[in-house]
Amino acid sequence: MNEEQLIASAKNGDRKALAELVKNYGQTVYSFAFKVCRDREKAENMMQETFYSMIKSLHQFDGNSKLSTWLYRIVVNHCLMEARKSSRYTFVEQETDDSLFDEKYIADWSTLPIKNLETKELRNILDSAIDKLQPEYRVVFTLRDVEEYSTEETAKMLELSVPAVKSRLHRARAFLRNEITKAFQE
Amino acid sequence: MNEEKVSCKDVMSHICESLSEEMDSPKCVAIKDHLENCEGCKSYFTSVEMTIDLYKKCTETFPDDVHKKLMAFLELNDEK
Ligand SMILES: [Zn+2]
């Protein structure tokens, strides 16, 4: 069965088809939830909530968007709701555009010893940079740059305006990049 | 030549979409010109691309037991 047939069968109560859909998207939803939640246990919970919502509202899925897009929208909402419970992220908001796009950060990365770094060390640097980024920004960065949705699609999924998505994307990119640069300069 | 003047800061904080109308706007044309001639901005964009690449590689593995727990949670564990 292709995806369309699976969805149609699942809507008609075929639990095998439903199980198949969940299996096909488990990895995608889990790794996205992890990118946003930054915690295995939370990512697991968000994934469970997402598929639970999917099963409950699959009958509303009209096929006008891809199932993956629809699932992203659900998982984003769950992750952001969860993130709002703890408001320990303030880093990006506190930075002004002037400090984020400071020309002092135009370091030449070809001279940074990135290639010589152990993958693990680099991963740690990146992890701590991303941990400081607010979930609202992480979501934009992940959808737009990692999952490669267009600005318009990202805006629709997040119910944000296009300029708001652009602004968050820029700030997220600049922030991450600056954090990594700083880690190397220390 | 282009009349529009852009600074490195403009280049860093502006996104030109691949949508034709935006790509052809005077601002984006000026940004493309600037990018072609400015080593600083070129390296900025390279570093942003590298940041994105690094992040893309940070995928979490999806352990089998997590999948099993998911199916049990959804009461789908008997299907299959
Ligand atoms: Zn420049």
Side-chain angles (χ1 to χ4, degrees), chain A residues 106, chain B residues 7-9 11-12 34-35 38-46:
Chain A
I106 308 186
Chain B
S7 67
C8 293
K9 205 171 266 186
V11 173
M12 285 193 271
H34 178 116
L35 257 175
C38 178
E39 288 308 314
C41 286
K42 254 189 233 167
S43 104
Y44 176 78
F45 275 98
T46 311

Side-chain angles (χ1 to χ4, degrees), chain A residues 93-119:
Chain A
E93 288 291 350
Q94 282 167 359
E95 298 228 28
T96 63
D97 274 356
D98 278 345
S99 72
L100 271 179
F101 301 106
D102 194 314
E103 287 171 23
K104 81 176 177 221
Y105 290 120
I106 308 186
D108 183 0
W109 270 36
S110 59
T111 65
L112 294 181
I114 288 181
K115 293 213 169 67
N116 304 328
L117 267 195
E118 296 281 330
T119 320

